[in-house]
Amino acid sequence: MATRDKAPSLFDAAILKPAIVASFVKLDPRTLMKNPVMFTVELVAVAATILMARDISVHGPGVGFEIQIVAWLWVTVLFATFAEAVAEGRGKAQADTLRRMRSETIAKVLLGVGGDLFEPVRAHSLKVGQVVLVEPGDIVPGDGEIVEGVATIDESAITGESAPVIREAGGDRSGVTGGTKVLSDKIKVRITAEQGSSFLDRMIALVEGASRQKTPNELALSVLLAGLTLIFVLAVVTIPSFATYAGGSVSVIVLIALFVTLIPTTIGALLSAIGIAGMNRLVRFNVLALSGRAVEAAGDVDTLLLDKTGTITLGNRHATEFLPVGGVGEDEVARVAQLASLADETPEGRSIVVLAKEKHGLRGVDMADLKARFVPFTAQTRMSGVDLDGKVIRKGAVDAVVAHAQSMGAAVPLEEITRIASSIGKQGGTPLAVSRDGVVLGIVYLKDVVKGGIRERFAELRRMGIRTVMVTGDNPQTAAAIAAEAGVDDFLAQATPEAKLRLIRAEQAGGKLVAMCGDGTNDAPALAQADVGVAMQTGTNAAREAGNMVDLDSDPTKLIEIVAIGKQLLMTRGALTTFSIANDVAKYFAIIPAMFIAFYPQLAALNVMKLATPQSAILSAIIFNALIIVALIPLALRGVQYRPSGAAALLRRNLLVYGLGGLAVPFVGIKLIDMLVTVTGLA
Amino acid sequence: MTLNGWAQIALYVVVVLALTRPLGGYLANVMAGGRNWLSPVLLPVERAFYRLAGINPAEEQSWWLYCRAVVVFHLVGFVFLYGLLRLQAVLPLNPQGMPAVPADLAGNTSVSFLTNTNWQSYGGESTMSYFSQMAGLAVQNFLSAAAGIALAMAMIRGFARARAKGLGNFWADLVRVTLYVLLPACIVLTLFFVWQGVPQNLGAYVDAATLEGGKQTIAQGPVASQLAIKMLGTNGGGFFNANSAHPYENPTALSNFVQMIAIFVLGAALTNTFGRAVGDERQGWALLAAMGVLFIAGVAACYWAEAGGNPQLAALGVDNSLGNMEGKEVRFGTPLSALFAVITTAASCGAVNAMHDSFMPLGGMVPLVNILLGEIIVGGVGSGLYGMLLFAIVAIFLAGLMVGRTPEYVGKKIEAREVKMTMLAILCLPLVILGFSALASVLPEGLAGTSNAGPHGFSQIFYAFTSAAGNNGSAFAGLSANSVFWNATLGIAMVFGRFAVIVPMLAVAGSLAAKRRAAASVGTFPTHGGLFVGLLVGSILIVGGLTFLPALALGPIAEHFSLLAGTLY
């Protein structure tokens, strides 16, 4: 698979330096407000700072401890903003390249539809519906549809693929993207996207994470985290009066420390970084999701609709056998089929020549030497062949060749032909009849070749609980045979766009989420109906508008990767949430005895970690709480490890690692930090 | 701890489990409006009620309409009960000539019985006339229980229905539960209790001459009928002040056993009703299993603490082999007292057969923790199930993302709206409990109620608000709560604890009902297995534990370690 570039190393200096600056800029409460947990931490950090300033001015006792707590509070907030900045930084470089491309373009707006007269206009000021002329060497000024002409276009700026592609007016390859470069020929393009909302703009916004909206799950998770934060507010603000009852008191700075360690800062700090990193992972796979919602939906997909051609099969049929009819020798069939295919440059034609050579030792002959006349394939005749020394040699669809033979007055062994043809069809192949002078000599067995390894991929999907449905224009017999060979769960034969749409609706009515990919304009309704619609970059604008993702490599197999990325995104959030909350148990055991020991010395029994002093315990807890954020940034950016398997197995593993791990790790971590803090004399 | 003790606990668990499925099926049938063997007699009565009230039982109510009906119903119930208590002196069936109940106590008591709390700041035999008991308190015992089951049904329908607007009809649910479930069961139970020796009369109190020649007044009354619904409806409000520790209110081992069964039976059956409604009974069993794990752990901890006895007494040479017997009936001993205490607080019953205040610090912490966790261990009739379902939503959301899908529970996607409403419902408990406890532990009005110093006094305060907000009604009875401060704050806590959960819970149900039902696959989080049970238990303990650990540390935990160190309060 062509990936845009390798994942940049996690802490690349080029990303780190601006990220450090950005993490201070992001302290602005107006931006931090979007993250309720970290905003709360910032608020209490401000409060703690004010308290500290007061205590310093009156030379209160324990100021050294207080200064350290306040410092760590700010570090906690900074680590959170830093995590987000690093995630964003990884997309920034790419966005800058894209932006440079956009700003310098001059569009040639046509003055009349017929002529080539134009007026140069800056690309930003283009309006929808204007028609522009794009000549070799020009940059396409905006997203649009070719209304006239055909051109080779270098799309490497968008796709990273250097081989030029052909785009032409009409049909399914008429869309062009702003920022790509015309290499040959000139085209007239009608602009279809508003400036600022073009593909390029969306891509820039996407990789930068600037226009990032919270996705539905992220929103729900934020609500949960805010709710937990409120619960801990209640748990902490009531402590002073409980302490008063017990005849003691707890200092505000200690309460603040307890509060900050309890609220889910780990996941709160990393939540947006996880989302941005998920999008970037998709971008590295050369897929652009037009919304974060689509990426999440990809994780939820139950049914994958996959086009047979190009996804499940290699796309070209290969000749595998010559089957004689009416007692003709197999070599004879091979020879005639070879002659019929010599001038046929299609992959099927070439495969016949290759098979004849390999299996029957027939060497290729130069058409020019034979003085043959090549008869090309047309949609009307559905045959091709050669006229050679007065002999009429044809190959083509069985019914077409039979009709041709009958029209030449020959007797046709219809029963035998039908038997062979239908048995080939049942095995998923395509029969081609070969005739000479109206006599049907035999049938060539063209086989659809299923891609290597695809069966295993489908088995993998099945383990993940995803059903695969193959969509093909083939007849049901052929479709069934290929479906069985490829190991898909179901198939839709003789698929029309309407049938596809019906299938999607039926699946959705059964409570399933459906993903599909498509490229043609007639795929647009199905793409729009599907919960995840991946449009091919080579497709039409209509298809690209209808889908909610665009695959720049136009590789339909990628749907599987997209699903995996969606799942990984959700799993990473879940894992860090669980970890974050499980952490609290150890923090309580560190802070509660430390807080109450002055008036209930017997609570020292709860100090199971045997932390040195109350101060060192509280300090260790808050240091651990801050450091764990940084320690988990790589995991947030990379995503948790994902192996395709059933939900139960995934859950068991993740609960073990992040649930139990989340319980155990802080006990060890806080103890170690406490030893360090004690040795260095910080507390 | 003895083998005999454990055998009785095991017998209890077996009987509850055996009743769960048949009763769950019966409840499902009643709620669906189906016919059963009581229909020939009760259907005309049911229809008469609808005609009288002008209700179309088939009319679906949206969550908001359902909620409005619940609130209106309770408001009217409050006015009625409050008026009745205030006018008690002039109403009939008052052989003892009880005066009118004071305003603050009448308000507190009305709220208490309306919300299924049955917190009692009064002693029944010295405050309430028979008419108040029967026409006032017992009626609310029935209705608050029926309302709880109706609400659970609304929640169940939220999960079971797809693309639906309505959650059922509150009035119809209320009538059906009362007629087909509570009334017949209570008639049978009442007769059973009468057989066991519980009084059921309207006579005046009897004076008896004691052996020492003193005079003792023995209270009488329609106890058995009150007792049946008190248990079955997890109300818990005792006819007598001593509640089910009173020999008239709990005369025999058998009556004790049946009372304990009655507390759990409907709550446990509702889990099965839920499973049936969502088309997979295993879902119900999984919920019950999670409840069961917490229940057994609680019983074991409480029994262990009580059977161990007080080490300080042992040090004085007192025979401790019966365990901690302070505040316990000798006929029940530590195992049945501990079991009853755990059951009554796991469910939101609050009836007691021993004084929780006299339990060992850790033994008394178990009932406290049971209520703090939200009374979702079987729980109150109805409220236990919907409380547990709210926790299931949290658990699913906390860890469900880890399977790489939007969290789903029984086919319903859990999204921002559900999470928001669930958190709102879960937040109200700590808000009320911690908030009021903080207030009461510094205000002189609050401190005046406590009867012990140190952490135990704090436990009394903390337990009172926990019990009120959790709509439990049991008490660390050393607290004297019949003052304006306590009546008012506890009254507010009860209202909050009931309605601040009900409203968002119904909103969740409404939002779930409107969703389509997602198909299950191997990629879906399986919520009927041991993994889910473990996750649910873990989430409940962590969320509940984290919220209340500081308060618990200053109450029972501090007291426990003090006791070990030789300090008593």
Side-chain angles (χ1 to χ4, degrees):
Chain A
M1 176 158 321
T3 51
R4 174 169 297 277
D5 45 14
K6 291 291 151 257
S9 92
L10 285 172
F11 295 105
D12 189 334
I15 291 170
L16 274 194
K17 269 185 219 150
I20 290 171
V21 176
S23 53
F24 281 92
V25 176
K26 282 170 180 288
L27 288 180
D28 183 340
R30 282 165 301 181
T31 50
L32 203 58
M33 204 125 76
K34 285 185 201 146
N35 183 338
V37 176
M38 294 322 294
F39 180 65
T40 313
V41 179
E42 186 175 40
L43 281 184
V44 297
V46 170
T49 311
I50 295 170
L51 276 177
M52 177 189 77
R54 188 201 64 185
D55 287 353
I56 290 175
S57 65
V58 299
H59 302 289
V63 169
F65 170 71
E66 214 167 306
I67 293 174
Q68 289 186 63
I69 295 282
V70 170
W72 281 106
L73 288 177
W74 283 110
V75 168
T76 309
V77 188
L78 278 172
F79 281 170
T81 53
F82 175 71
E84 193 181 274
V86 169
E88 284 174 0
R90 279 147 56 94
K92 274 242 165 63
Q94 204 176 0
D96 288 344
T97 329
L98 292 169
R99 196 177 281 122
R100 224 171 293 126
M101 191 158 58
R102 185 184 56 177
S103 53
E104 293 155 6
T105 314
I106 296 288
K108 300 169 177 172
V109 177
L110 286 168
L111 296 172
V113 182
D116 277 0
L117 288 173
F118 63 83
E119 172 194 10
V121 166
R122 297 187 69 84
H124 327 292
S125 48
L126 275 178
K127 290 182 185 63
V128 174
Q130 283 186 319
V131 178
V132 297
L133 178 72
V134 192
E135 291 176 302
D138 287 354
I139 304 280
V140 177
D143 292 5
E145 198 94 36
I146 302 180
V147 289
E148 190 185 313
V150 48
T152 51
I153 294 178
D154 172 11
E155 292 193 337
S156 60
I158 303 285
T159 63
E161 179 64 55
S162 55
V165 295
I166 293 175
R167 292 293 157 98
E168 58 187 321
D172 283 351
R173 289 170 176 250
S174 60
V176 289
T177 310
T180 57
K181 189 175 180 182
V182 171
L183 295 178
S184 71
D185 307 288
K186 62 181 176 187
I187 47 175
K188 292 177 183 173
V189 174
R190 187 175 43 241
I191 299 300
T192 54
E194 203 74 57
Q195 289 307 303
S197 68
S198 73
F199 199 66
L200 199 60
D201 293 311
R202 279 189 289 188
M203 189 157 163
I204 291 171
L206 191 72
V207 292
E208 276 191 335
S211 69
R212 221 174 70 83
Q213 298 271 315
K214 276 188 181 164
T215 56
N217 271 313
E218 200 179 347
L219 205 65
L221 190 52
S222 299
V223 171
L224 184 88
L225 298 179
L228 287 174
T229 306
L230 277 176
I231 288 181
F232 288 126
V233 169
L234 293 172
V236 172
V237 296
T238 50
I239 289 177
S241 91
F242 298 165
T244 308
Y245 172 90
S249 69
V250 179
S251 78
V252 177
I253 209 88
V254 169
L255 288 174
I256 286 178
L258 172 67
F259 175 64
V260 170
T261 51
L262 287 182
I263 63 175
T265 46
T266 314
I267 179 66
L270 297 173
L271 192 55
S272 59
I274 295 171
I276 298 168
M279 285 294 228
N280 282 346
R281 258 199 304 284
L282 264 188
V283 172
R284 276 206 306 282
F285 271 101
N286 268 356
V287 176
L288 291 187
L290 304 182
S291 73
R293 181 183 286 265
V295 187
E296 274 184 1
D300 288 349
V301 160
D302 301 287
T303 307
L304 277 188
L305 257 52
L306 296 167
D307 273 327
K308 182 198 78 173
T309 310
T311 310
I312 295 170
T313 62
L314 285 172
N316 307 321
R317 298 158 210 257
H318 286 251
T320 53
E321 222 175 322
F322 297 111
L323 302 160
V325 170
V328 184
E330 197 179 322
D331 280 349
E332 180 74 0
V333 182
R335 205 171 61 80
V336 177
Q338 185 207 34
L339 282 173
S341 309
L342 279 175
D344 181 356
E345 282 301 316
T346 63
E348 287 86 354
R350 263 177 287 165
S351 81
I352 292 176
V353 177
V354 170
L355 182 71
K357 186 168 132 191
E358 284 174 356
K359 214 170 158 193
H360 300 276
L362 298 172
R363 300 192 57 82
V365 203
D366 194 336
M367 292 290 282
D369 296 348
L370 294 171
K371 296 194 196 78
R373 192 179 67 82
F374 177 56
V375 181
F377 176 90
T378 70
Q380 280 80 39
T381 60
R382 292 191 294 139
M383 291 187 301
S384 64
V386 287
D387 292 339
L388 179 77
D389 301 338
K391 288 185 195 119
V392 181
I393 296 176
R394 291 289 181 273
K395 76 162 200 289
V398 174
D399 53 344
V401 173
V402 166
H404 157 77
Q406 281 165 338
S407 74
M408 289 182 69
V412 180
L414 251 185
E415 196 179 316
E416 191 184 1
I417 292 173
T418 317
R419 186 171 48 74
I420 296 175
S422 76
S423 103
I424 290 174
K426 264 181 214 152
Q427 295 166 60
T430 309
L432 276 188
V434 182
S435 75
R436 185 177 57 203
D437 293 338
V439 179
V440 180
L441 298 174
I443 300 213
V444 183
Y445 183 167
L446 288 182
K447 198 173 172 195
D448 235 340
V449 182
V450 171
K451 280 184 178 175
I454 199 87
R455 210 186 157 81
E456 288 68 35
R457 297 294 296 269
F458 291 146
E460 208 172 74
L461 286 170
R462 201 167 301 118
R463 277 199 298 281
M464 289 156 61
I466 296 173
R467 213 165 71 89
T468 44
V469 179
M470 179 182 86
V471 178
T472 169
D474 292 343
N475 63 53
Q477 276 186 347
T478 313
I482 296 173
E485 189 179 345
V488 291
D489 297 302
D490 204 351
F491 63 87
L492 177 69
Q494 286 167 341
T496 57
E498 295 76 38
K500 260 195 210 180
L501 194 58
R502 262 202 310 280
L503 176 67
I504 295 175
R505 290 205 171 126
E507 290 282 322
Q508 287 172 336
K512 293 192 168 117
L513 253 65
V514 183
M516 70 161 287
C517 52
D519 53 4
T521 300
N522 56 12
D523 281 332
L527 280 173
Q529 178 72 34
D531 301 281
V532 177
V534 183
M536 301 292 110
Q537 165 69 5
T538 53
T540 58
N541 269 330
R544 283 179 7 191
E545 290 296 324
N548 43 20
M549 291 193 198
V550 176
D551 178 16
L552 301 175
D553 298 335
S554 303
D555 170 11
T557 331
K558 225 184 263 173
L559 216 44
I560 299 171
E561 265 80 28
I562 294 173
V563 168
I565 289 173
K567 284 197 179 295
Q568 200 186 22
L569 176 68
L570 295 177
M571 279 168 53
T572 308
R573 279 197 202 127
L576 290 182
T577 306
T578 309
F579 186 84
S580 189
I581 293 172
N583 269 205
D584 280 1
V585 176
K587 293 171 190 166
Y588 258 136
F589 277 102
I591 295 186
I592 285 195
M595 200 163 49
F596 298 144
I597 204 158
F599 44 96
Y600 283 146
Q602 63 270 28
L603 285 179
L606 292 180
N607 182 6
V608 290
M609 285 175 272
K610 305 271 173 267
L611 305 178
T613 64
Q615 281 78 19
S616 76
I618 293 164
L619 199 56
S620 307
I622 200 146
I623 293 176
F624 175 84
N625 191 54
L627 291 183
I628 197 73
I629 296 175
V630 171
L632 290 174
I633 290 178
L635 183 68
L637 297 186
R638 212 177 42 233
V640 302
Q641 197 191 9
Y642 174 64
R643 271 193 233 101
S645 57
L650 274 178
L651 188 66
R652 194 170 308 119
R653 179 180 172 279
N654 286 333
L655 269 181
L656 210 68
V657 175
Y658 300 100
L660 288 185
L663 278 178
V665 165
F667 278 101
V668 179
I670 291 175
K671 177 69 189 169
L672 288 177
I673 295 171
D674 180 74
M675 285 157 66
L676 214 67
V677 163
T678 315
V679 166
T680 51
L682 287 172
Chain B
M1 291 190 281
T2 61
L3 189 65
N4 183 293
W6 278 111
Q8 297 191 65
I9 292 166
L11 178 68
Y12 176 76
V13 172
V14 169
V15 173
V16 169
L17 284 179
L19 287 171
T20 296
R21 196 165 182 277
L23 204 58
Y26 179 73
L27 280 171
N29 173 279
V30 168
M31 296 315 297
R35 288 186 69 84
N36 57 55
W37 58 277
L38 287 169
S39 296
V41 187
L42 293 177
L43 199 59
V45 184
E46 186 190 344
R47 289 202 179 125
F49 271 119
Y50 296 147
R51 250 198 317 279
L52 214 65
I55 286 161
N56 172 11
E59 189 181 300
E60 288 286 322
Q61 290 171 323
S62 68
W63 80 266
W64 176 241
L65 286 178
Y66 202 98
C67 186
R68 206 177 62 182
V70 173
V71 172
V72 166
F73 177 70
H74 283 87
L75 277 178
V76 173
F78 175 82
V79 171
F80 179 79
L81 183 56
Y82 181 81
L84 198 148
L85 294 178
R86 297 288 287 150
L87 298 173
Q88 158 172 290
V90 295
L91 289 170
L93 290 180
N94 192 0
Q96 294 306 119
M98 302 282 184
V101 181
D104 63 321
L105 180 61
N108 178 288
T109 305
S110 301
V111 165
S112 168
F113 277 74
L114 229 65
T115 53
N116 198 261
T117 311
N118 299 33
W119 171 271
Q120 293 166 296
S121 293
Y122 61 91
E125 60 271 49
S126 55
T127 317
M128 297 294 168
S129 73
Y130 293 159
F131 189 75
S132 299
Q133 292 270 22
M134 287 161 62
L137 303 183
V139 168
Q140 282 305 328
N141 276 353
F142 271 97
L143 296 180
S144 64
I149 298 179
L151 286 164
M153 284 300 163
M155 183 69 161
I156 290 175
R157 292 188 187 116
F159 280 104
R161 292 181 174 178
R163 296 172 183 273
K165 285 203 175 73
L167 292 176
N169 186 307
F170 174 67
W171 307 115
D173 288 346
L174 194 71
V175 170
R176 281 186 190 132
V177 172
T178 312
L179 276 185
Y180 292 100
V181 183
L182 297 179
L183 210 55
C186 281
I187 290 172
V188 175
L189 276 177
T190 303
L191 292 174
F192 171 82
F193 288 134
V194 169
W195 170 49
Q196 289 297 302
V198 179
Q200 178 75 5
N201 60 46
L202 297 172
Y205 294 175
V206 177
D207 285 336
T210 64
L211 286 177
E212 291 95 4
K215 197 189 82 173
Q216 186 186 359
T217 304
I218 299 174
Q220 301 289 320
V223 185
S225 56
Q226 204 101 331
L227 181 58
I229 187 62
K230 157 187 142 188
M231 293 304 174
L232 200 65
T234 62
N235 292 288
F239 193 91
F240 301 117
N241 194 20
N243 211 307
S244 285
H246 192 293
Y248 270 3
E249 204 159 331
N250 193 0
T252 65
L254 199 56
S255 75
N256 188 59
F257 188 77
V258 171
Q259 289 191 19
M260 292 192 297
I261 296 287
I263 296 176
F264 261 11
V265 75
L266 285 178
L270 276 169
T271 59
N272 182 261
T273 310
F274 169 75
R276 288 170 193 262
V278 299
D280 181 2
E281 285 189 55
R282 291 176 307 173
Q283 303 286 357
W285 290 117
L287 289 184
L288 192 60
M291 295 169 170
V293 169
L294 290 166
F295 174 68
I296 301 290
V299 172
C302 191
Y303 184 24
W304 166 79
E306 294 310 306
N310 188 332
Q312 296 305 315
L313 286 178
L316 295 174
V318 176
D319 176 13
N320 230 355
S321 60
L322 284 177
N324 170 34
M325 286 303 292
E326 181 195 314
K328 291 189 180 62
E329 289 288 289
V330 177
R331 57 209 170 105
F332 300 134
T334 50
L336 291 183
S337 299
L339 180 63
F340 201 108
V342 175
I343 293 168
T344 197
T345 50
S348 85
C349 184
V352 291
N353 75 352
M355 295 302 119
H356 297 177
D357 198 22
S358 300
F359 277 27
M360 300 301 296
L362 293 185
M365 189 168 89
V366 173
L368 183 57
V369 167
N370 276 342
I371 311 174
L372 286 174
L373 295 181
E375 288 173 333
I376 35 71
I377 307 167
V378 180
V381 283
S383 60
L385 181 75
Y386 63 67
M388 191 58 155
L389 287 173
L390 291 176
F391 260 112
I393 288 177
V394 172
I396 283 280
F397 202 89
L398 276 181
L401 283 170
M402 282 197 293
V403 305
R405 283 174 71 100
T406 299
E408 272 164 35
Y409 186 55
V410 293
K412 295 293 180 135
K413 281 205 186 325
I414 308 299
E415 289 165 304
R417 185 175 162 79
E418 290 78 51
V419 173
K420 193 192 292 173
M421 290 301 156
T422 304
M423 287 316 285
L424 227 96
I426 288 182
L427 251 170
C428 89
L429 215 55
L431 175 71
V432 176
I433 295 174
L434 293 173
F436 277 129
S437 299
L439 211 61
S441 52
V442 287
L443 289 182
E445 291 89 344
L447 294 170
T450 60
S451 60
N452 293 70
H456 193 79
F458 177 71
S459 295
Q460 289 179 340
I461 295 174
F462 189 47
Y463 194 103
F465 286 110
T466 301
S467 173
N471 293 149
N472 186 276
S474 66
F476 266 21
L479 185 83
S480 324
N482 192 7
S483 70
V484 175
F485 172 84
W486 282 102
N487 278 334
T489 48
L490 289 172
I492 296 170
M494 288 187 275
V495 172
F496 238 80
R498 182 86 165 169
F499 293 101
V501 177
I502 286 177
V503 178
M505 179 279 287
L506 281 175
V508 171
S511 148
L512 288 174
K515 286 176 193 245
R516 68 182 187 186
R517 215 182 154 88
S521 72
V522 291
T524 323
F525 187 124
T527 53
H528 51 69
L531 200 60
F532 173 69
V533 173
L535 177 68
L536 188 53
V537 169
S539 305
I540 291 167
L541 286 178
I542 286 193
V543 172
L546 291 179
T547 314
F548 297 110
L549 199 62
L552 288 174
L554 292 177
I557 296 176
E559 192 188 352
H560 169 74
F561 286 116
S562 305
L563 179 73
L564 294 185
T567 313
L568 299 172
Y569 294 97

